[in-house]
Amino acid sequence: MERVVVSIGGSILDYEDISFLRDLGRTLRDAGRKVKLFIVAGGGKVSRSYIAAGRELGASERYLDLMGIRATRINAMLLSAAIGEEANPFPPASYSHVIQEAKERRIVVMGGTRPGRTTDGVAARLAQKVDADRLVNASNVDGVYTKDPRRFQDARRVASMTHDDLIALSSGTAGKAGPTVIFDTVGARIIKKAGIALLVLDGRDLSSLRGAILGKRFKGTKVS
Ligand code: UTP
């Protein structure tokens, strides 16, 4: 069975949108019967609001990251609730625990691991550890653009690019708790070294998400 890591951006994990979460859960559950699925949940608005509040209160970057990690884990639990029995209920905190869970569940869902990284980095490391056939990055942007499409009208979506192109695009973005870029430079370097393809798409487009997970057609960018 193929192994696929899916990074679900916090931007599409809205705890108020039950109908989408239900559909997302069903899509992942169905896909998990055809490939071995490893899912990493992002922090999204939960992490952003807690990190912003903690920063106002003078918390250190490390402490903010720890809050962010807990936000990713609460989102992982929400995803597990949406997927159901086939997913583990409690997010593992290490890759060795992920491997253990994978023996008992069809689908393993986790959040962040340690301070100083993002869930992109976690998803890339996980893909390397489980020797994934591909890594799917599902956020709220339908691919990699030459610039931020939400800010620049002349931004262009690219259908395919190399790992080096992605690294060039993402470099200079590593840093403080809570930034949002399409895929961070740490993660980009890991998948380049491991030779793993990255498929970037809008996770709200569930048919595209399903296609990318199963190695079929999808709308987005392929990095290889
Ligand atoms: P995310 O990577 O989810 O950030 O982690 P995000 O900006 O919400 O990205 P998307 O939209 O989900 O893709 C949220 C925060 O949690 C901390 C960092 O502070 C990060 O900004 N974190 C997360 C860690 O410190 N370590 C981790 O392994 C994961």
Side-chain angles (χ1 to χ4, degrees):
M1 209 183 217
E2 283 191 316
R3 289 174 301 282
V4 181
V5 173
V6 185
S7 174
I8 302 281
S11 56
I12 64 164
L13 287 173
D14 179 357
Y15 52 79
E16 288 176 301
D17 193 348
I18 304 305
S19 141
F20 173 72
L21 287 170
R22 191 174 283 127
D23 293 345
L24 175 63
R26 188 182 308 119
T27 300
L28 295 172
R29 190 165 57 242
D30 291 349
R33 291 178 184 152
K34 302 201 172 98
V35 297
K36 185 83 195 170
L37 263 193
F38 298 87
I39 301 172
V40 183
K45 73 176 175 184
V46 184
S47 67
R48 267 196 309 280
S49 45
Y50 274 78
I51 286 170
R55 189 173 275 134
E56 290 266 328
L57 295 166
S60 67
E61 287 297 315
R62 181 186 158 80
Y63 197 79
L64 297 175
D65 278 349
L66 290 169
M67 287 168 69
I69 290 167
R70 278 155 178 82
T72 63
R73 291 190 183 146
I74 199 76
N75 278 341
M77 290 174 74
L78 194 63
L79 256 186
S80 289
I83 295 167
E85 296 275 290
E86 273 143 292
N88 56 307
F90 301 107
S94 70
Y95 303 110
S96 56
H97 283 120
V98 171
I99 310 284
Q100 278 302 114
E101 287 283 7
K103 291 180 185 147
E104 282 160 39
R105 305 274 177 174
R106 265 186 208 278
I107 302 174
V108 183
V109 187
M110 73 183 298
T113 54
R114 285 189 283 133
R117 46 201 72 190
T118 70
T119 48
D120 292 343
V122 172
R125 183 69 72 201
L126 179 60
Q128 179 207 18
K129 296 265 184 202
V130 304
D131 192 19
D133 291 277
R134 56 195 161 271
L135 167 54
V136 177
N137 186 64
S139 72
N140 62 354
V141 185
D142 63 353
V144 179
Y145 282 73
T146 48
K147 301 175 184 176
D148 185 345
R150 285 164 292 198
R151 288 171 52 212
F152 300 96
Q153 284 210 328
D154 60 339
R156 282 184 305 108
R157 175 158 57 88
V158 259
S160 65
M161 66 199 298
T162 66
H163 286 106
D164 283 329
D165 293 336
L166 179 69
I167 291 169
L169 210 63
S170 64
S171 58
T173 55
K176 291 187 173 171
T180 52
V181 285
I182 194 71
F183 202 78
D184 78 26
T185 184
V186 176
R189 286 175 199 282
I190 294 170
I191 54 163
K192 182 196 169 189
K193 204 163 164 218
I196 295 171
L198 170 72
L199 314 181
V200 181
L201 52 86
D202 187 335
R204 294 167 301 187
D205 178 349
L206 293 174
S207 74
S208 193
L209 176 62
R210 187 182 303 110
I213 292 174
L214 301 181
K216 297 187 175 147
R217 269 168 58 85
F218 74 101
K219 180 186 172 199
T221 301
K222 180 170 185 180
V223 183
S224 56

